[in-house]
Structures are given as structure tokens and as C-alpha cells.
Amino acid sequence: MLTRIAVLVSGSGTNLQALMDAQAAGRIPNGEIALVLSNRKAAYALERARQAGIERAVLSKYMEPDPDKYDAALLRILTECRIDMLALAGFLGILGPRVLAAYENRIVNIHPALIPSFCGLGYYGLRVHEAALARGVKVTGATAHLVNGEVDGGPILLQKAVEVKPDDTPETLQRRVMEEAEWEILPRAVRMISDQIAKERNN
Ligand code: GAR
């Protein structure tokens, strides 16, 4: 039996694409993407999932403004889909205590910097790269980590460094970090956890 993976998204879904490509290439041998869930109805990631024939769901804070009810509704969807693990791929929502407890050590997030630099509340998307350029770092990168109750605070699984070039803009740096680091280490981290779950199941 394969580990059933839910990929949570909010945006364009290039990291989702990297996961779908990795699965197609046999690089996530014990896992399958069973659900793509977005907290934004307009996220292009949903279109990628549709084209790939993957089940989709939308749960936005407009649909469920109360954080406690959002947490319960999200857990209900994941349980109904028999999801074993989550991959946060550019998901800009905050997970609540129910989901965190149900999937302890089974939630992977990709962050576009070398944690503990440029992480925590307010550091997401382009803002991370704006902050890195403003500080003048010469090396940045990406981190795949497990998710706990602290923003970007869970145990680190994988990191990859990326060089900052003198003429970088936040946009060029974001793209290079995605290409050279995020799209490589997120699938590898998802493989690590899906292999682990498969191993536990077979014991
Ligand atoms: C990615 O760079 C991801 O690392 C970042 O948002 C982008 C989503 O792009 N996530 C965060 O900043 C989370 N703190 P995508 O939708 O094309 O994968």
C-alpha cells in the first residue's frame, strides 16, 4: 500500500509540480499524491492538479473564518481522503492543533531560506528574498523541515545552499532558489517521510 500524500498549496504550485514530476519519475516509490488542497480558490496549483487528474479541495478562511472550525474542517477532509502525510508546498495558511496532532512528524514544509535565517512569522514568498538581499547575504537556499506548532520551527530534514549574485533582484533570487534547491529537496524530504511511513506499516 502506498503512503497517501496531501499537498497543501496557496499559489502557482511549482513545488507541487516538482512533487508530481518526482512521483512520475519513480522518485517517491512508496508514496502517491492523493489530494491537492488549496486555501485559495484561484491558486494555479489547482489547475496543475486538475490536469494531472489528482483530487482537489479548497478550504479558505472566507469559507471557514473561525480558526478552530477551520482546523476541524481540514482534519475532516484529510481523514475522509485517508491521508497519511502532508506536504506544505507554498501553503501560506497556519495549521491548527488538531491537524498538527493527527499528523505529528508527518508534515513536511519547504521554506525558501536557510533556517534559522529569514524565517518565522511574516517571512514568506518574495519577502524572504527581499530580506536576504537587504541583509546582503552572499549565500541563501532552501530548507525542508518537519512542521510543529512553531512557524518554521520543526526539525530540519534537508537544506541546500544557493549563491546570491550581485545583480539579483528578489524575483531572480526566488527563481534560482526554487530551481536549484526547493524543487530538489522537497521531493527528497517527502520521499524520506513516505518511506518511513511505509516501513512502519510493514512492521
Ligand atoms: C515557494 O518559494 C515556497 O518555498 C514559498 O512560497 C513559494 C511557493 O511557490 N513558501 C513559503 O514562503 C512558506 N513560508 P509555488 O506555489 O510555486 O510552489
Side-chain angles (χ1 to χ4, degrees):
M1 225 168 64
L2 294 172
T3 299
R4 290 173 65 79
I5 304 162
V7 183
L8 273 56
V9 296
S10 302
S12 69
T14 63
N15 279 287
L16 165 66
Q17 190 67 53
L19 288 169
M20 295 191 303
D21 293 348
Q23 185 185 313
R27 283 186 278 119
I28 310 181
N30 287 306
E32 66 172 331
I33 302 169
L35 176 70
V36 171
L37 185 139
S38 176
N39 65 345
R40 281 186 55 236
K41 203 171 68 191
Y44 185 70
L46 288 169
E47 173 58 20
R48 294 181 193 266
R50 190 192 66 77
Q51 283 173 19
I54 299 171
E55 187 162 340
R56 291 159 293 153
V58 177
L59 184 61
S60 71
K61 63 179 182 201
Y62 303 103
M63 292 158 71
E64 195 45 88
D66 179 81
D68 188 54
K69 287 187 183 153
Y70 187 98
D71 187 24
L74 179 55
L75 184 57
R76 201 174 316 119
I77 295 171
L78 298 172
T79 308
E80 273 167 13
C81 258
R82 294 173 287 114
I83 295 301
D84 299 305
M85 68 167 286
L86 312 186
L88 310 190
F91 181 69
L92 302 182
I94 300 276
L95 297 178
R98 287 189 183 84
V99 170
L100 289 173
Y103 290 96
E104 196 180 358
N105 295 326
R106 291 178 169 210
I107 311 176
V108 176
N109 180 46
I110 185 75
H111 183 74
L114 294 173
I115 290 175
S117 290
F118 312 115
C119 66
L121 220 57
Y123 285 99
Y124 58 88
L126 214 51
R127 291 179 183 211
V128 177
H129 305 289
E130 284 165 359
L133 289 177
R135 186 63 186 83
V137 295
K138 304 303 172 210
V139 172
T140 183
T143 304
H145 65 93
L146 291 175
V147 173
N148 60 17
E150 205 184 316
V151 182
D152 298 327
I156 292 171
L157 296 172
L158 295 167
Q159 289 189 305
K160 189 161 180 219
V162 173
E163 191 191 341
V164 180
K165 302 218 164 131
D167 54 356
D168 262 331
T169 64
E171 289 79 9
T172 60
L173 185 57
Q174 178 181 51
R175 184 74 193 178
R176 190 169 333 102
V177 168
M178 284 176 158
E179 285 174 357
E180 293 183 9
E182 294 184 44
W183 301 342
E184 182 195 320
I185 66 172
L186 178 61
R188 281 174 51 207
V190 167
R191 180 189 180 151
M192 285 165 68
I193 303 303
S194 59
D195 283 356
Q196 178 67 32
I197 293 171
K199 202 168 133 196
E200 284 166 16
R201 191 184 291 121
N202 294 333
N203 277 342

